[in-house]
Amino acid sequence: MRAETKLGIFTVIGLILFGFSLYFLGGLSVTRTYELNIKFNDVSGLPVKAPVKLAGVEVGKVKKIKIEGEDVVVVAEIHDGVPIRKGAQFSVVMTGIIGSKYLKVVQGLPGAPVLQPDTYIDGVNDIPMDVMVTQTMASIKDFVDSVNNHGQMGDQLNQTMTEIRQLSANLNQMIATLRPYLTSSMQNLDVATARLSDLLVSLDKGEGVIGSLLKDQEMKTEVKETVSDLRTTMAEVKNVVGKMGKFQVYWDYDLFYMPKTKLASSDLALDIYTPSGYTFYRIGIANVGNEDDKLDSHDYLEKNKIDARLGLYNEWAKFSAGMIRGSGGVALELKPFYQTEFLDRLTFTGEFSNWGRDRTINGRYFHKPDVSYGVDFRINKYFKVGAWARDALETNDFAIRANVSFNDQDISSFFGLAAVAGTK
């Protein structure tokens, strides 16, 4: 083979290897693209070459980031053949709490015109994570200060607790009146059951006055059966009455405050834990308020909705289903660190309801399910605080949650009495 031929072959191979190196290592792309310019106020943490994703699928990359006047302009390279329609929303999001950032695209309405190359679009300016954390901590501090210093929230909380105490006091008085009779009934049941047992023994042995009188074997058998049935009935009554003290009832009060819209909402409910040890009921009212009050422009909370659920629970999870804030849904609470000291105070909660929502509330159209989730930290046996996302698929309001929960022994006895009254 001639030297020129060898040189030509090595040159071609070298060019091919060089091209592959540029493609795989240098980021060179042979895919045809077009550019869109998205204007933001702040894109902190968004790197050049970050992916552009539409419906979770990568459709391009960030080519460069530049300053134009008062705006930060992100130049996005979109793959040719992927149309972005007018009305599309561009936002800078993270893959996780501490993950990398990318450019998210929410497609415009079907049938809308397609954006032409080099078009300028206004991006969605979400609050940066560091600013959100700072605002959250400040809001929590303001909330705690308001409660401690008897501010507006403190007054609302104190007023609610006063009303709860008044209701509890009325129930306490009723239970206090009934308690001596219940105690006396339990003692009488014990004495009567013991005497019936002695009577049956006497009948078997033919002892005592009754035993000597009942010489007729048929009459003796009938009396024995009657006394035995009576003893069984009294044992069942004793068992039912004994369950009265096994009901556990908790008052549960929630206060949600949305710093962005400066709105607050209150929930009040009774959580009833049955003697079975794994089922519970919840009955209450969500978003307590006057329906005739004038609504703020961003107030989409529907007032005075029934919250009624049936659930199962154990030491690390609680699941319930029923009417959640006025519509059918399910809720799940998890305590993944229930065996770890301090971390066992954390509870992760998700609520999923209103699956068929299709209506306008305060001038805004809602068509997605109501999904709310958050994490709470228990400060003591009565008080919890947390951070929540309310209606995440629609308004996505960040909310600070304060929860007060305590066991009411007198109402527990009342429910036990109701269970006895309903027993056949």
Side-chain angles (χ1 to χ4, degrees):
M1 183 179 294
R2 297 177 60 183
E4 293 82 356
T5 303
K6 293 180 179 180
L7 178 61
I9 293 174
F10 280 112
T11 301
V12 172
I13 294 174
L15 289 174
I16 293 173
L17 292 176
F18 180 70
F20 274 101
S21 299
L22 288 178
Y23 181 79
F24 289 107
L25 302 178
L28 182 64
S29 175
V30 296
T31 304
R32 295 183 60 185
T33 61
Y34 64 95
E35 296 180 0
L36 294 176
N37 303 283
I38 303 95
K39 298 186 294 183
F40 293 97
N41 295 334
D42 190 337
V43 292
S44 299
L46 180 68
V48 176
K49 297 184 180 179
V52 180
K53 295 184 179 182
L54 173 64
V57 179
E58 185 172 332
V59 296
K61 291 187 179 296
V62 174
K63 181 179 180 180
K64 61 181 177 179
I65 302 174
K66 58 185 179 179
I67 300 291
E68 291 187 3
E70 301 296 327
D71 298 318
V72 180
V73 178
V74 175
V75 181
E77 280 188 329
I78 308 299
H79 296 164
D80 203 11
V82 179
I84 305 298
R85 300 188 180 277
K86 186 176 181 180
Q89 296 181 346
F90 292 79
S91 57
V92 178
V93 300
M94 299 178 65
T95 56
I97 297 178
I98 58 175
S100 59
K101 291 188 175 182
Y102 66 93
L103 191 63
K104 177 182 177 181
V105 186
V106 177
Q107 185 63 282
L109 294 175
V114 176
L115 295 175
Q116 297 301 312
D118 299 321
T119 301
Y120 278 78
I121 310 106
D122 291 326
V124 178
N125 292 289
D126 294 327
I127 301 176
M129 181 63 69
D130 55 343
V131 176
M132 184 179 296
V133 172
T134 302
Q135 291 180 351
T136 300
M137 297 307 296
S139 299
I140 292 176
K141 182 178 183 301
D142 292 341
F143 172 77
V144 174
D145 290 343
S146 176
V147 174
N148 291 339
N149 298 328
H150 303 289
Q152 182 179 2
M153 287 188 189
D155 292 339
Q156 293 177 353
L157 187 59
N158 290 334
Q159 182 180 357
T160 302
M161 296 307 298
T162 299
E163 294 173 355
I164 292 175
R165 284 194 295 268
Q166 290 175 351
L167 177 60
S168 180
N170 294 333
L171 290 172
N172 290 347
Q173 184 177 359
M174 181 179 66
I175 297 298
T177 303
L178 294 174
R179 182 169 290 158
Y181 298 100
L182 295 175
T183 302
S184 176
S185 298
M186 288 295 293
Q187 293 173 349
N188 292 337
L189 284 173
D190 290 335
V191 173
T193 302
R195 289 179 177 177
L196 284 172
S197 298
D198 294 339
L199 179 58
L200 282 176
V201 173
S202 299
L203 288 174
D204 287 333
K205 295 181 178 180
E207 297 176 349
V209 178
I210 296 179
S212 60
L213 291 176
L214 295 179
K215 298 300 183 180
D216 187 344
Q217 186 62 37
E218 183 178 351
M219 181 181 294
K220 183 176 181 179
T221 301
E222 291 178 356
V223 172
K224 285 178 63 177
E225 290 177 353
T226 302
V227 174
S228 179
D229 291 342
L230 181 58
R231 186 176 64 172
T232 301
T233 301
M234 294 182 69
E236 292 177 355
V237 172
K238 181 180 178 182
N239 180 53
V240 172
V241 175
K243 288 183 178 180
M244 293 176 57
K246 296 181 181 180
F247 274 88
Q248 295 294 322
V249 180
Y250 289 83
W251 286 102
D252 194 83
Y253 173 74
D254 285 322
L255 175 65
F256 288 95
Y257 176 68
M258 282 72 79
K260 184 177 180 180
T261 56
K262 297 182 180 179
L263 297 174
S265 67
S266 297
D267 302 339
L268 181 63
L270 279 178
D271 289 335
I272 307 165
Y273 294 86
T274 66
S276 65
Y278 58 86
T279 60
F280 74 97
Y281 301 90
R282 181 180 179 88
I283 181 68
I285 301 178
N287 303 330
V288 179
N290 193 326
E291 297 179 352
D292 296 327
D293 287 344
K294 182 178 179 180
L295 298 178
D296 293 337
S297 59
H298 297 287
D299 188 354
Y300 306 111
L301 299 176
E302 298 177 293
K303 303 295 189 298
N304 302 322
K305 293 297 181 180
I306 294 297
D307 199 315
R309 316 179 195 177
L310 168 63
L312 303 173
Y313 72 97
N314 58 24
E315 57 188 355
W316 62 273
K318 181 188 292 186
F319 173 80
S320 59
M323 295 290 289
I324 299 180
R325 304 183 186 282
S327 62
V330 296
L332 178 64
E333 296 182 16
L334 295 176
K335 297 177 65 176
F337 311 111
Y338 74 100
Q339 292 181 324
T340 304
E341 187 175 0
F342 185 77
L343 291 180
D344 62 348
R345 296 169 178 257
L346 291 173
T347 303
F348 298 88
T349 305
E351 297 178 350
F352 313 90
S353 62
N354 232 331
W355 304 111
R357 182 165 54 172
D358 184 17
R359 60 184 180 275
T360 299
I361 304 173
N362 195 18
R364 187 186 191 281
Y365 176 61
F366 287 78
H367 67 283
K368 296 179 181 178
D370 188 345
V371 178
S372 299
Y373 57 89
V375 57
D376 298 306
F377 180 80
R378 177 171 51 81
I379 296 176
N380 55 41
K381 61 187 293 187
Y382 303 109
F383 192 64
K384 291 191 297 188
V385 296
W388 278 62
R390 300 286 301 274
D391 206 351
L393 300 183
E394 288 283 1
T395 59
N396 195 28
D397 289 323
F398 171 75
I400 301 168
R401 181 196 187 200
N403 172 267
V404 177
S405 178
F406 62 90
N407 177 244
D408 194 317
Q409 293 292 342
D410 295 311
I411 299 183
S412 300
S413 300
F414 173 76
F415 275 95
L417 180 62
V420 173
T423 302
K424 292 184 180 180

